[in-house]
Amino acid sequence: MTTSEEVLDLIFESLQDATARRTPFTLGYLGTVGIDGGPRVRAVILRRFDPVRSRIMFATDSRSEKVPEIRRSPRVALTMSDDQRAVQLRVEGHATLVDDTDERVSVWETLGRHSRGLYSSPAVPGTPVRERPEVFDDDATAFDRFAWVGVELERLDWLDLSAPRHARWRFVRRDGGWSGQSVVP
Ligand SMILES: Cc1cc2nc3c(=O)[nH]c(=O)nc-3n(C[C@H](O)[C@H](O)[C@H](O)COP(=O)(O)O)c2cc1C
């Protein structure tokens, strides 16, 4: 009989693994509430996981639409799935934009040239492409556009379809601890 502690350990291991190397969980689908109130979902790379704070981190462009969406409605959802293992993890949490310059600098320094280059274009994501030679701003300007976002996890939903008897677990975080329960898939 599987216990909720075993499932929680598996979830945390899967998230740690996803940020240490490329796994199917590395690419998550982030759901936000759009400025018009409608749903928005897009892929983001999970870059760090802090098991103590139950916090997932991703990088984005501060000019992208998801940033004002998060500022306005910090409640977000993220879904990861692994087709090989036949598992899905859905999480809900509270997103915050990290202001701490030291933390942002330490992450910025780990980003590859390609990733940093994405922030150096003055062209704003989601705006029409203009037919003119592309110019690039300096590294300091690119860094200003780099947003480092944390999602503090509050609810987890783990679905495992790998065995004939499907399993689903729900976890809620209360007072810093997780309580989990097996639910009907
Ligand atoms: C494989 C893949 C990885 C991506 N990773 C990120 C990411 O880590 N951060 C990000 O902001 N956008 C990432 N994107 C782009 C987003 O899915 C999205 O198109 C972009 O961020 C604009 O979203 P928005 O207009 O809703 O803000 C990725 C897209 C793909 C296909």
Side-chain angles (χ1 to χ4, degrees), residues 45 86 98 110 144:
I45 293 173
V98 173
T110 66
D144 286 343

Side-chain angles (χ1 to χ4, degrees), residues 105-121:
V105 167
S106 73
V107 178
W108 181 249
E109 284 171 352
T110 66
L111 295 183
R113 257 189 66 213
H114 171 74
S115 297
R116 283 160 74 140
L118 298 173
Y119 300 93
S120 61
S121 167

Side-chain angles (χ1 to χ4, degrees), residues 115-142:
S115 297
R116 283 160 74 140
L118 298 173
Y119 300 93
S120 61
S121 167
V124 175
T127 61
V129 171
R130 291 182 199 282
E131 296 304 330
R132 57 176 164 70
E134 197 166 10
V135 288
F136 293 98
D137 291 317
D138 58 21
D139 199 60
T141 307

